[in-house]
Amino acid sequence: DILSEAVARYLKADPEPRVGFAVWLNQHDENDRTLQVLPLEEAIKRKDFFLPHVDALAALGRWMDLRKLLEAKESPLEPAYAEAFQARCDAELKNSELATLHWRAALKAAERNPEQLFWLGRYAEKCNEVELARKAVRALIACVGNPLPAFRELERLEAEYPPLAAT
C-alpha cells in the first residue's frame, strides 16, 4: 500500500523530513508505522527522533515499554521532560504515588528554565494535573523578564479550572 511504500522511502530520508513524516503518521493514528520510521536504535540517539517515538508508544498504550525507555540512561531527554513523561506513565499504570514523585521531580528539574516550565505547565494541564500546571506557571512568572504572558496563562488556568473552595 501507499503508506508502506512511504515508510520504506522515508527510512532512507534525511532526519528533518523523516521526523516530519513521523509526526504526520502520529497525527493520523499510524503509530506502528512511526515506530518503523524511527526505530528505537535511532530514537535513543536523537531527541528529534525520540519525541515522536515516545508519542507513538503512548498513543499505542505501551506504558511499560515507554517507562523502561524513559528510565534508560541513554534517553536523550532533559530531566524535566523525562520526569514528566515518567509521571504520565506511572499515572496510566495506576502508580499514583510514583506519578506524584515524578511530577515534583519534573518541576524541580525545570526550575528557572522558562522554556521547560512553559512546556511543563501545558503538559501537566493536558494530563489533568492542573495544580502542577499552576505551580509551573507561577515558577515561570518568577523567572522571566516579562511576566505578563505567564500571568495571562495563569489567569487562563484559573478561569478554566477554578480552585476548589475550602470546606
Side-chain angles (χ1 to χ4, degrees):
D1 76 321
I2 293 172
L3 278 179
S4 295
E5 291 173 19
V7 166
R9 198 170 46 249
Y10 274 97
L11 271 170
K12 300 172 187 137
D14 289 335
E16 190 174 333
R18 226 168 131 187
V19 169
F21 182 57
V23 168
W24 183 89
L25 288 169
N26 279 342
Q27 290 169 342
H28 292 86
D29 296 323
E30 292 289 341
N31 310 101
D32 284 316
R33 293 182 198 265
T34 297
L35 299 178
Q36 293 173 0
V37 171
L38 303 175
L40 177 61
E41 307 77 47
E42 294 180 64
I44 60 174
K45 296 175 187 169
R46 297 179 57 115
K47 182 179 174 182
D48 57 340
F49 281 23
F50 193 78
L51 291 173
H53 187 95
V54 164
D55 286 343
L57 289 174
L60 291 167
R62 291 176 50 185
W63 300 109
M64 283 303 296
D65 293 340
L66 184 50
R67 188 165 186 252
K68 288 176 190 169
L69 179 58
L70 292 166
E71 290 173 344
K73 294 196 184 325
E74 61 267 4
S75 167
L77 294 179
E78 291 92 342
Y81 302 112
E83 291 289 346
F85 289 141
Q86 284 182 294
R88 168 101 189 269
C89 287
D90 284 323
E92 295 290 340
L93 294 168
K94 309 295 186 226
N95 298 327
S96 59
E97 292 87 9
L98 275 177
T100 298
L101 291 174
H102 283 296
W103 282 120
R104 285 184 192 146
L107 187 59
K108 181 155 180 49
E111 192 173 61
R112 314 262 346 130
N113 184 317
E115 179 184 327
Q116 291 179 5
L117 286 167
F118 180 78
W119 177 87
L120 183 60
R122 286 288 172 94
Y123 188 70
E125 179 187 5
K126 177 182 169 187
C127 296
N128 294 313
E129 293 291 336
V130 177
E131 192 51 42
L132 188 104
R134 285 185 180 109
K135 288 178 182 178
V137 173
R138 286 185 192 112
L140 178 62
I141 289 167
C143 75
V144 292
N146 175 10
L148 188 59
F151 272 118
R152 287 191 178 127
E153 179 68 7
L154 186 59
E155 286 176 342
R156 184 191 66 77
L157 283 171
E158 297 295 337
E160 285 187 37
Y161 309 95
L164 297 174
T167 55

